[in-house]
Amino acid sequence: MHRFFQGFAVDLALAVRNVLRQKRRVGFALVIVMGGCISLLLAAGFIQWVLDTMRESTIHSQLGHIQIVRPNYYAKGIADPYKYLLPENSDAEAQVRKHPSVRALAPRLSLVGLISLGDSTLSFMADGVDPVAEQEFAKYFFVEQGERLAADDPTGIIIGQGLAANLGAKVGDNLVLTVTTARGGLNAHDVHIRGIFFTSEKAYDDGAIQLPIELARKLIRVQGATSWLVVLDKTSNTDSVLADLRQRFDPKSFQLAPWYELADFYNKTVTLFLRQVLVVKILIGIIVVLSISNTLSMAVMERTGEIGTIMAMGVRRKSVLRLFILEGLMLGVLGSFVGVVVGWGLSLIISAIGIPMPPPPGMESDFTGEITVNWALALDAMWLGAVTTLIASVVPAWKASRMVIVDALRRQR
């Protein structure tokens, strides 16, 4: 074992010297590896930013980190939500609020009905919300005109951008909400528009309104809420808080669901984007393998006499094989490291400037993109650069180790 490590150290020292003395070819190889790593970091970093932004938007505009409902609410409660109401001001609610990782608990009461402005009448989906608790959702819930809900305005509502356009409504207009009560009767109430909002989903904005939860209870003639939306201090704490709360609550009385089980559109988007990143990795890997393999093959041809000489002096074929593989691995590690550093720096510069982007599908507003590079992406890029150069060096190294000593020496003459 000692002799193996001693031989490996000698081969490593020779590999370093060979890399340093072949400046032109090494420079070309490093540029290829660096370019691949930088391209991967920038492309994957932009997709990572899109996914992170979409995740936080989904959580802070619609779902919360954890939703608490009655058992079977998601399976059967859509048809008759008022059979699955959560109690108001209960011990369970107070217990959730006291958890150290919980920033807010926002009760919501879902309802549907008709909204009328003059001769125009459209259907709507609404959430009765607590105006104070909903401040935790303000970052990704944009009110483009007017103001948000206020506790001191019991009949003020905010309305989705698309629904307002279809109604021809504007801030300050008076409307009438008509709903079916929990017992099947009709109820109506005069309201006025405090603001017009938009979210990341245009389909939601085309039919949604938000109103104070007390007004929603008055319209439906019920007490309580259909769900509690729990907002945490960090998204990464979702699983730990979920496990803790599930231990405290009776599963026969409460069902707890994390955001990622409810965010179907987000989950499908992640799957799609990750497949696109995989395609980018494969293409970059192929380019690096072909380029580095060609570069090392030419280096082997130029060093044929040198290879013959060291083999004639007693160096074994496996040592020659190991020497060239180490050279390729060194190129990969060095090029990947420099590429990651440069790519990470470029991501910070580009993010500081911003990337102007047109409205994505389902939205009406443009946005400024950024590039998010984390340690996972950096290690992934380094792994890709090192592995591809290692693979690319196998064939040239094998050819070098299989040379006939007499032919190699003759080539030198």
Side-chain angles (χ1 to χ4, degrees):
M1 185 64 68
H2 175 71
R3 294 181 63 183
F4 170 80
F5 284 108
Q6 187 177 20
F8 181 82
V10 172
D11 290 340
L12 183 61
L14 289 174
V16 172
R17 295 184 63 182
N18 288 331
V19 167
L20 293 177
R21 69 188 177 89
Q22 300 178 68
K23 295 182 176 55
R24 183 172 60 86
R25 295 201 181 280
V26 168
F28 176 77
L30 290 178
V31 168
I32 295 296
V33 178
M34 288 170 53
C37 291
I38 293 172
S39 300
L40 177 61
L41 276 184
L42 296 183
F46 176 72
I47 291 178
Q48 185 65 49
W49 178 85
V50 171
L51 294 179
D52 289 348
T53 304
M54 182 182 295
R55 179 194 65 200
E56 296 304 316
S57 175
T58 301
I59 292 171
H60 290 92
S61 66
Q62 299 178 37
L63 300 178
H65 290 95
I66 300 172
Q67 283 195 20
I68 303 177
V69 298
R70 290 297 192 189
N72 296 320
Y73 172 76
Y74 296 118
K76 301 178 181 179
I78 304 301
D80 192 1
Y82 310 119
K83 286 185 178 180
Y84 300 87
L85 291 174
L86 295 167
E88 182 182 1
N89 299 323
S90 64
D91 292 338
E93 184 178 348
Q95 192 174 8
V96 175
R97 294 182 187 276
K98 291 179 181 179
H99 195 284
S101 295
V102 173
R103 291 178 54 182
L105 185 147
R108 288 196 174 184
L109 179 61
S110 299
L111 62 155
V112 295
L114 299 175
I115 183 169
S116 301
L117 175 62
D119 295 332
S120 301
T121 300
L122 295 173
S123 61
F124 70 85
M125 300 177 297
D127 286 318
V129 302
D130 181 347
V132 177
E134 288 298 313
Q135 293 178 3
E136 292 293 336
F137 297 88
K139 183 177 180 180
Y140 293 93
F141 193 88
F142 307 101
V143 176
E144 63 168 353
Q145 299 178 33
E147 300 175 325
R148 300 181 183 275
L149 295 178
D152 58 356
D153 188 358
T155 61
I157 68 170
I158 57 176
I159 183 172
Q161 187 181 61
L163 183 58
N166 292 332
L167 275 175
K170 60 183 183 298
V171 175
D173 284 348
N174 295 313
L175 308 95
V176 177
L177 300 182
T178 305
V179 302
T180 302
T181 66
R183 295 187 177 182
L186 291 177
N187 196 9
H189 206 289
D190 293 328
V191 296
H192 64 274
I193 299 177
R194 284 183 58 86
I196 298 174
F197 69 84
F198 69 93
T199 65
S200 59
E201 295 188 25
K202 182 177 182 298
Y204 175 77
D205 302 341
D206 287 345
I209 67 172
Q210 284 194 356
L211 65 159
I213 194 168
E214 292 301 329
L215 176 58
R217 290 167 178 165
K218 185 177 180 181
L219 279 166
I220 304 299
R221 295 175 181 168
V222 298
Q223 293 298 317
T226 50
S227 62
W228 295 337
L229 273 61
V230 181
V231 181
L232 306 179
D233 52 356
K234 295 180 182 179
T235 301
S236 58
N237 290 336
T238 300
D239 288 334
S240 60
V241 176
L242 179 66
D244 188 16
L245 293 179
R246 280 177 172 169
Q247 291 179 351
R248 301 183 185 187
F249 288 174
D250 182 2
K252 296 181 180 179
S253 301
F254 299 96
Q255 179 181 351
L256 285 74
W259 65 270
Y260 49 79
E261 291 183 0
L262 306 173
D264 182 66
F265 179 77
Y266 170 80
N267 293 331
K268 291 179 179 178
T269 303
V270 169
T271 301
L272 174 64
F273 280 5
L274 290 182
R275 289 180 180 177
Q276 292 177 345
V277 172
L278 178 60
V279 172
V280 172
K281 288 181 181 179
I282 293 173
L283 293 177
I284 291 176
I286 291 173
I287 294 172
V288 171
V289 167
L290 294 178
S291 300
I292 299 301
S293 180
N294 181 65
T295 301
L296 293 180
S297 294
M298 296 182 68
V300 168
M301 293 178 62
E302 292 179 351
R303 295 163 59 187
T304 299
E306 174 187 330
I307 295 170
T309 300
I310 62 175
M311 291 176 68
M313 294 173 62
V315 176
R316 295 183 178 183
R317 295 186 183 274
K318 64 179 182 180
S319 296
V320 175
L321 177 68
R322 188 167 55 194
L323 176 63
F324 278 90
I325 288 180
L326 282 175
E327 291 182 21
L329 183 60
M330 288 182 58
L331 290 176
V333 172
L334 180 60
S336 299
F337 177 77
V338 177
V340 166
V341 172
V342 174
W344 206 326
L346 286 175
S347 72
L348 296 176
I349 295 173
I350 294 172
S351 297
I353 299 173
I355 308 172
M357 300 295 295
M363 289 185 64
E364 294 184 353
S365 303
D366 54 7
F367 65 98
T368 301
E370 298 179 15
I371 296 175
T372 299
V373 176
N374 51 37
W375 284 109
L377 282 179
L379 292 175
D380 200 21
M382 290 192 66
W383 175 87
L384 178 66
V387 170
T388 51
T389 50
L390 181 62
I391 294 173
S393 64
V394 170
V395 173
W398 177 260
K399 290 181 178 179
S401 66
R402 295 297 96 187
M403 284 186 180
V404 178
I405 298 176
V406 175
D407 293 340
L409 291 174
R410 186 182 298 118
R411 181 77 62 87
Q412 189 179 19
R413 296 175 63 184

